[in-house]
């Protein structure tokens, strides 16, 4: 196709195109892409959006859209243009993003991206050039190939029972509530082309006015793929394709959606981030001595607050300016009726966060005691909820504390604070931190502020049980 | 300084935001989902973008779109999801788009399980997608590094116009530790000469990985190759703990490096002179350092990894036959304990074959 008068949205000379002929397109004679490109370029001119337009070329014959359009250009992977367009539009909601796709790209390999971009109501414009065949790869069946149509991969013609039916994308997309405007047009004759021009312009204008997702399916021709000359191809489009793919407006809520689909984003402002994350805030650290490193395994039933107990201890250690780590049971340890976590509190850099040989163990059910007692180092502290576990660990080898933590918690107000009773007992049994320090820290780390008093009472009771036996 | 107690996965989001990342695209998968949770909380609150994409494939292509706009963006997943992103990774590398991708590795192959593994090393470090390309690959081993190396990954990605990967494992992602939140600073990179922003300044630019003419594509590949060589020369990071006088140099990254670190002093108390060489960048790999350690031919090397032997190939290439290189690998979510490792050190140093042939 020799181009004589061109829209300014086209380059004058197609420098990106290789070879000697930089004023003609790469399309075959009679191809429909030239018509569609021209209508888009003219609409861009009319709307004055050349600078802010970003044209996404897919894989297929229109892979080289960037040869021609004098605007920002992206080349995308096969079928992914709507996802790429989403990433572009969300990064700059003031850009005008065109996803220009063929039938294989949009309705086969990229069906998911197509439907979900529409379903999110991305404020983009999708031009779907449906020519019922794969052109670039050599005339294979497309998702929109007609019944009985012969292609390189349907040599006996498309058969419903074997290949399914031509897929009707405009109809499908029009069922999605977030889509604003869906129309199917054609380029079979000049009447078609007039309607197509109008639809293309409207679909772009909608985006400029932030009215949301617009989808224009354009029934086009592929004389090469169809093995026809150009006039026959136009006739076949008009006679056969339109019967399978009726033209018309399938959905139009454009007038109701002015500026409704502008998704604002803010640029990166370091000071705002620093404020948000409290980078310059005074750290709540009150360094105290740690007499002995704690390698803890806390275990019990799910729901007993075992993991939270570990989190409390780790945060106490952090506030005391010690090195800490917390990790929940993960992998093979998750089996066997025990929810558990490993906590390290150390003066030194912590190596493995997994506590293999604890020197402090809390067992709040029998399976936990049976699973982990043997791992506790000689002379280690083991605390057992004696109201739940009917077994005493090896008192010769270990420093054993039997404490009815859940019963005490009940007396305090709820069995849910049994973990904090246990924490108080653990603090007392190990002398790791003072009760005052732990109480002060709990006031900070307990998230529900109305539960602080009950937690402090539970902590005190556990502590007293070990220190005073009551 | 603000010191906060957080999961490794959450620390990634903090590190990304402080580095100026403005858009997150992801798909849920255990054990990486906390990254999406935190991103969905913080990105919109700070005027950024969060999209739960329809697929991993869509997520990585949304990254392609935003990265092509010259804006910092990321996605995160775990092994099976990361496999799905490989097409996009290749396009990103081909089009030279800076971005950060995170892989919190879990057990494979196939659906495997949700427990930690390090068996995506080949996929991430050697390729994964099609064509000649490399991913700058950082391997954090604590929550602080999950934050800091994510920030650094954005700088490296911008500096080299290349995707950068955070390769961690389920343990490092799930573990909670104190994190000092780094200060956010202005980004010292300008991409106006190549990115497409949808404005007058950049409207002549093209983001693309297609190069049709054979000679041109060869030139593009050679250009990328030259870039990769420069990265190898200038961006290697590692941690060296007592390798200088070690008879046995243990090489480990991520969670296994934490376990190995715990064993070094214990082993030395038992008279075993062991040291740890921890690659922080897996690509570029600290080959030069390993070659240096192997130069006089007196040491032994051991690769400890949660795989049946992947990183060991790079250790062997670096050692280049000068010293013996052994493997100890566990899989499926099983992490070797310290005592188990020390037993292997003893076996190797006494010239015995490793129990179970090095892979259990």
């Amino acid at each position: 196709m020799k181009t004589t008068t061109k829209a300014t949205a086209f380059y004058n000379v197609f420098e990106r195109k290789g070879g000697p002929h930089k004023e003609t397109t790469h399309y075959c004679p009679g191809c429909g892409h030239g018509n569609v490109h021209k209508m888009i370029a003219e609409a861009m001119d009319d709307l004055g959006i050349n600078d802010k337009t970003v044209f996404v070329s897919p894989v297929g014959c229109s892979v080289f859209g960037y040869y021609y359009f004098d605007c920002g250009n992206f080349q995308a992977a096969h079928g992914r243009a709507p996802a790429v367009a989403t990433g572009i539009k969300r990064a700059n909601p003031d850009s005008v993003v065109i996803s220009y796709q063929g039938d294989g790209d949009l309705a086969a390999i990229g069906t998911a991206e197509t439907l979900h971009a529409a379903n999110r109501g991305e404020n983009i414009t999708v031009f779907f050039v449906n020519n019922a065949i794969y052109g670039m790869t050599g005339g294979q069946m497309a998702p929109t190939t007609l019944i009985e149509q012969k292609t390189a991969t349907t040599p006996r013609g498309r058969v419903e029972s074997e290949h399914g039916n031509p897929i009707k994308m405009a109809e499908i997309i029009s069922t999605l509530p977030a889509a604003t405007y869906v129309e199917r047009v054609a380029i079979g004759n000049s009447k078609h082309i007039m309607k197509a021009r109008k639809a293309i312009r409207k679909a772009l204008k909608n985006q400029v006015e932030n009215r949301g997702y617009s989808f224009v399916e354009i029934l086009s021709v592929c004389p090469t793929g169809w093995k026809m000359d150009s006039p026959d191809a136009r006739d076949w489009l008009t006679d056969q394709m339109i019967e399978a793919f009726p033209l018309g407006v399938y959905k139009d809520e454009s007038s109701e959606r002015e500026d409704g689909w502008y998704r604002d984003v803010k640029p990166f402002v370091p000071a705002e981030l620093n404020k948000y994350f409290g980078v310059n805030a005074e750290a709540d650290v009150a360094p105290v001595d740690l007499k002995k490193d704690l390698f803890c395994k806390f275990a019990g039933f799910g729901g007993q607050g075992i993991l939270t107990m570990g989190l409390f201890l780790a945060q106490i250690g952090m506030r005391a300016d010690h090195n800490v780590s917390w990790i929940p049971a993960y992998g093979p340890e998750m089996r066997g009726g025990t929810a558990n976590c490993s906590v390290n509190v150390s003066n030194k850099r912590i190596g493995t966060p997994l506590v293999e040989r604890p020197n402090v163990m809390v067992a709040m059910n029998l399976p936990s005691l049976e699973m982990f007692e043997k791992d506790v180092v000689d002379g280690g502290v083991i605390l057992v909820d004696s109201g739940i576990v009917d077994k005493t660990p090896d008192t010769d080898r270990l420093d054993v504390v039997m404490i009815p933590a859940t019963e005490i918690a009940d007396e305090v107000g709820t069995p849910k604070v049994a973990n904090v009773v246990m924490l108080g007992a653990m603090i007392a049994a190990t002398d790791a931190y003072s009760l005052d320090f732990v109480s002060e820290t709990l006031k900070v780390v307990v998230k529900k502020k109305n539960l602080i008093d009950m937690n402090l009472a539970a902590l005190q009771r556990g502590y007293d049980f070990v220190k005073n036996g009551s | 300084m603000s010191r906060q107690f957080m999961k490794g996965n959450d620390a990634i989001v903090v590190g990304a935001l402080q580095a100026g990342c403005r858009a997150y695209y992801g798909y849920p998968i255990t054990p990486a989902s906390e990254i999406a949770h935190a991103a969905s909380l913080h990105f919109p609150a700070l005027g950024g973008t969060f999209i739960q994409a329809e697929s991993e494939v869509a997520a990585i292509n949304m990254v392609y779109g935003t990265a092509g706009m010259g804006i910092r963006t990321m996605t995160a997943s775990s092994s099976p999801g990361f496999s799905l992103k490989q097409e996009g990774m290749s396009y990103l590398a081909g089009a030279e788009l800076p971005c950060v991708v995170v892989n919190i590795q879990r057990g494979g192959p196939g659906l495997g399980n949700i427990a930690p593994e390090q068996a995506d090393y080949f996929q991430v470090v050697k390729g994964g997608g099609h064509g000649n390309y490399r991913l700058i690959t950082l391997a954090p081993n604590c929550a602080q590094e999950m934050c800091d190396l994510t920030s650094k990954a954005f700088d490296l990605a911008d500096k080299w116009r290349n995707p950068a990967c955070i390769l961690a494992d389920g343990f490092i992602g799930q573990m909670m530790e104190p994190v000092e939140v780094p200060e956010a600073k202005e980004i010292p990179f300008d991409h106006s000469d190549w990115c497409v922003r949808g404005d007058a300044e950049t409207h002549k630019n093209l983001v693309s990985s297609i190069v049709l003419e054979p000679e041109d594509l060869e030139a593009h590949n050679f250009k990328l190759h030259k870039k990769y060589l420069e990265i190898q020369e200038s961006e290697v990071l590692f941690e060296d703990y007592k390798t200088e006088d070690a008879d046995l140099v243990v090489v480990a990254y991520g969670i296994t490096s934490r376990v190995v670190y715990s064993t070094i002093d214990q082993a030395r108390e038992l008279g075993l002179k062991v040291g740890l060489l921890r690659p922080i960048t897996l690509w570029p790999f600290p080959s030069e350092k390993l070659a240096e350690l192997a130069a006089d031919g007196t040491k032994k090397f051991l690769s400890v990894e949660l795989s049946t032997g992947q990183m060991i190939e790079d250790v062997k290439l670096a050692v280049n036959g000068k010293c013996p290189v052994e493997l100890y690998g566990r899989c499926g979510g099983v992490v070797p304990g310290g005592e188990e490792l020390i037993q292997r050190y003893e076996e190797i140093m006494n010239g015995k074959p490793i129990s179970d042939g090095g892979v259990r």
Side-chain angles (χ1 to χ4, degrees):
Chain A
M1 184 176 70
K2 177 80 179 160
T3 48
T4 48
T5 55
K6 271 187 285 205
T8 65
F10 282 136
Y11 288 116
N12 274 327
V13 180
F14 306 139
E15 295 292 350
R16 287 187 177 127
K17 183 169 172 266
H21 307 294
K22 291 197 166 67
E23 291 185 343
T24 56
T25 71
H26 73 288
Y27 295 113
C28 306
C31 174
H33 281 299
N35 295 81
V36 182
H37 281 18
K38 187 162 177 267
M39 289 188 278
I40 292 172
E42 285 168 359
M44 285 167 63
D45 274 12
D46 286 354
L47 295 165
I49 54 173
N50 297 3
D51 279 346
K52 57 184 194 174
T53 296
V54 181
F55 189 95
V56 185
S57 304
V59 167
C61 289
S62 50
V63 65
F64 301 117
Y66 60 85
Y67 286 175
Y68 313 116
F69 285 95
D70 188 358
C71 62
N73 278 284
F74 268 72
Q75 199 286 311
H78 198 20
R80 316 303 174 215
V84 173
T86 297
I88 295 167
K89 187 70 183 188
R90 295 295 186 109
N92 177 10
D94 293 313
S95 60
V96 176
V97 185
I98 296 172
S99 182
Y100 183 104
Q101 301 174 260
D103 37 47
D105 195 81
L106 182 137
I109 200 166
T111 316
E113 287 82 357
T114 296
L115 290 181
H116 286 274
N119 195 47
R120 286 189 302 270
E122 294 298 336
N123 187 29
I124 60 173
T125 305
V126 178
F127 294 123
F128 171 34
V129 180
N130 176 3
N131 58 15
I133 204 156
Y134 280 66
M136 180 65 104
T137 46
Q140 297 86 1
M141 181 183 74
T144 50
T145 289
L146 303 192
I147 295 294
E148 294 182 2
Q149 187 183 341
K150 287 183 180 171
T151 71
T153 49
T154 53
R156 289 168 291 277
R158 183 174 191 164
V159 179
E160 181 186 20
S161 61
E162 198 175 334
H163 310 108
N165 290 291
I167 195 163
K168 300 182 176 183
M169 292 309 292
E171 286 86 335
I172 291 171
I173 287 171
S174 67
T175 65
L176 300 172
T180 299
Y181 168 55
V182 181
E183 180 166 359
R184 181 183 288 124
V185 296
I187 55 163
N189 56 42
S190 53
K191 219 172 137 191
H192 291 157
I193 287 177
M194 275 168 67
K195 276 200 170 166
R197 179 177 288 125
K198 227 175 112 190
I200 284 168
R201 198 175 182 285
K202 176 170 179 162
L204 281 172
K205 192 159 173 277
N206 271 353
Q207 186 181 171
V208 173
E209 293 170 355
N210 302 308
R211 294 178 197 270
Y213 180 90
S214 295
F215 179 92
V216 180
E217 176 171 343
I218 302 144
L219 303 184
S220 185
V221 290
C222 181
T224 305
W226 295 353
K227 300 184 173 29
M228 292 179 194
D229 64 21
S230 189
D232 285 353
R234 301 272 163 168
D235 288 346
W236 193 79
L237 189 167
T238 307
D239 299 340
Q240 305 289 320
M241 273 190 84
I242 290 175
E243 197 185 319
F245 298 106
L247 304 184
V249 176
Y250 284 84
K251 184 175 184 187
D252 188 4
E253 294 181 4
S254 309
S255 59
E256 300 146 45
R257 297 198 180 189
E258 192 174 0
D259 265 337
W261 296 80
Y262 186 81
R263 290 173 164 114
D264 200 9
V265 289
K266 284 190 202 152
F268 174 48
V269 181
E272 278 177 21
L273 270 294
N274 290 332
K275 192 177 164 209
Y276 182 84
F277 285 116
V279 170
N280 300 313
E282 193 77 21
D284 178 30
V285 176
V288 295
D289 281 346
L290 179 67
K291 289 171 200 125
K292 190 177 78 169
D293 289 355
L294 303 174
F295 309 116
C296 310
K297 181 72 91 178
F298 299 157
F301 290 120
Q304 283 180 315
I306 294 292
L307 303 187
T308 308
M309 181 184 173
L311 287 175
F312 283 162
L313 177 64
Q315 289 173 93
I316 290 160
M318 185 173 92
R319 184 159 176 266
D321 210 19
H322 299 132
N323 296 308
V324 297
S325 71
W326 172 95
I327 190 163
Y330 192 30
E333 275 199 351
M334 287 163 80
R335 290 191 299 262
T338 154
N340 65 80
C341 62
S342 294
V343 180
N344 287 286
V345 182
S346 176
N347 284 307
K348 293 193 292 262
R349 176 178 167 187
I350 293 166
T352 178
L354 307 159
V355 174
E356 241 182 301
R357 292 268 176 261
N359 61 10
V360 179
M361 155 103 207
V362 167
M364 292 187 70
N365 70 358
L366 184 62
S368 298
L369 181 66
E370 288 177 335
M371 187 182 283
F372 296 116
E373 181 188 343
K374 63 180 186 323
D375 297 337
V376 181
V377 297
D378 291 350
V381 178
I382 185 162
L383 301 103
V384 179
D385 190 328
S386 58
I388 292 172
V389 182
D390 188 22
K391 185 186 170 191
T392 306
D394 182 349
T395 49
D396 291 341
R397 196 173 75 80
L398 303 169
D399 183 0
V400 178
V401 176
M402 300 296 289
I403 172 172
T406 306
E407 288 165 21
I408 293 173
D410 245 340
E411 289 167 25
V412 172
T414 166
K416 284 185 178 169
V417 291
N419 59 344
V420 181
V421 174
M422 214 36 132
L423 181 67
M426 193 221 102
I427 297 296
T430 57
D431 274 327
Y433 296 107
S434 74
L435 182 64
D436 279 352
F437 181 77
V438 173
S439 301
E440 285 307 308
T441 310
L442 274 195
K443 285 182 197 168
V444 181
V445 300
V446 171
K447 288 206 180 90
K448 289 184 181 158
K449 296 303 167 198
N450 57 332
L451 297 180
I452 287 175
D453 288 345
M454 199 185 286
N455 275 283
L456 293 182
L459 185 78
Q460 182 80 46
R461 288 289 302 272
Y463 188 86
D464 289 347
F465 185 89
V466 172
K467 290 290 185 193
N468 312 325
S470 65
Chain B
M1 281 299 242
S2 163
R3 200 158 171 251
Q4 296 171 23
F5 193 60
M6 64 178 85
K7 275 194 178 187
N9 280 344
D10 293 330
I12 282 179
V13 173
V14 174
L17 281 163
Q18 291 299 89
C21 179
R22 300 308 293 163
Y24 180 100
Y25 306 104
Y27 187 87
I29 184 167
T30 309
S33 291
E34 292 87 356
I35 305 175
H37 301 172
S40 70
L41 181 67
H42 297 307
F43 275 77
L46 288 158
T49 298
F50 170 87
I51 294 182
Q52 180 172 327
E54 60 271 29
S55 68
E56 301 281 8
V57 176
I60 193 74
N61 280 284
M62 290 174 189
V63 166
Y64 183 93
T66 299
M69 300 289 272
I71 287 174
R72 288 188 168 183
T73 180
M74 71 181 294
T75 183
S77 189
S78 178
S79 306
F82 203 76
S83 292
L84 282 167
K85 293 188 193 292
Q86 296 311 311
E87 175 202 44
M89 300 301 308
S90 175
Y91 277 71
L92 284 157
E96 295 189 86
L97 298 187
C99 63
V100 172
V101 293
V102 178
N103 182 359
I104 309 295
Q105 297 172 90
R106 63 183 242 185
L111 200 50
N113 67 16
I114 60 167
E117 240 185 32
Q118 297 176 323
D120 299 352
Y121 183 93
F122 282 158
Q123 183 189 49
V124 174
V125 172
K126 305 292 179 185
H130 56 284
N132 290 302
Y133 77 91
R134 293 291 191 172
L135 276 186
I136 298 168
T137 306
L138 301 162
N141 82 345
C142 60
Q144 185 70 55
E145 282 191 353
M146 288 288 252
C147 179
D148 295 347
L149 292 182
T150 300
S151 293
K152 187 176 180 63
F154 279 101
D155 285 341
L156 289 172
D158 271 346
K159 179 177 172 187
W160 295 102
R161 277 193 66 186
N162 205 71
C165 178
I166 299 291
L167 185 64
D169 53 73
F171 270 117
I172 302 299
Q174 299 295 320
M175 180 171 65
M176 290 183 87
E177 288 180 321
V179 172
E180 278 191 6
V181 178
E183 194 182 350
K185 293 175 186 147
E186 294 294 343
I187 301 168
F189 296 95
D190 178 10
H191 298 312
S192 304
D193 59 330
W194 62 264
C195 77
V196 172
R197 285 194 297 254
D199 61 15
E201 188 185 2
T202 63
H203 100 279
K204 298 281 182 199
N205 291 343
L206 166 66
V207 171
S208 169
S209 65
I210 188 169
V211 186
L212 211 54
E213 296 299 326
E215 293 80 7
D216 295 345
L217 183 56
E218 185 184 51
H220 180 57
N221 267 284
F222 285 168
K223 187 189 99 179
L224 292 179
H225 184 65
K226 186 168 168 281
K227 172 170 89 175
Y228 300 146
L229 290 176
E230 285 169 17
I231 295 171
Q232 275 174 315
E233 274 170 26
S234 57
E235 304 293 0
V236 172
L237 293 173
F238 58 84
E239 182 190 354
D240 179 352
Y241 187 62
K242 302 188 178 176
T243 62
E244 194 58 44
D245 67 341
D247 296 322
L248 176 67
V249 175
V250 186
V251 187
Y253 70 98
I255 183 62
T256 41
S257 71
R258 295 285 294 260
V259 184
V260 171
Y261 177 85
S262 290
T263 64
I264 300 297
D265 290 342
Q266 286 175 35
R268 281 178 176 255
E269 279 169 26
L270 298 171
L272 303 166
K273 272 192 178 170
V274 184
L276 166 66
L277 199 283
R278 171 171 80 97
I280 296 172
T281 51
L282 292 172
W283 192 87
F285 196 71
S287 306
E288 217 169 286
K289 176 66 186 176
L290 283 166
E292 202 180 285
L293 290 168
D296 66 2
T298 60
K299 293 185 196 301
K300 290 177 175 174
F301 291 78
L302 170 66
S303 182
V304 179
E305 40 186 311
L306 303 184
S307 80
T308 51
Q310 300 195 9
M311 181 176 68
I312 188 175
E313 294 194 358
D314 282 332
V315 178
K316 281 184 173 172
L317 282 170
V319 168
N320 199 17
K322 297 233 165 56
C323 301
V325 180
E326 305 285 352
L327 169 72
Y328 191 64
R330 302 294 304 262
C331 305
V334 183
V335 178
E339 291 168 19
E340 184 181 346
L341 286 176
I342 290 172
Q343 187 194 327
R344 268 67 190 185
Y345 303 164
E346 271 182 313
E347 287 166 358
I348 295 170
M349 294 171 85
N350 295 329
K352 293 180 192 162
I354 303 189
S355 328
D356 315 306
V359 180
R360 271 194 54 192

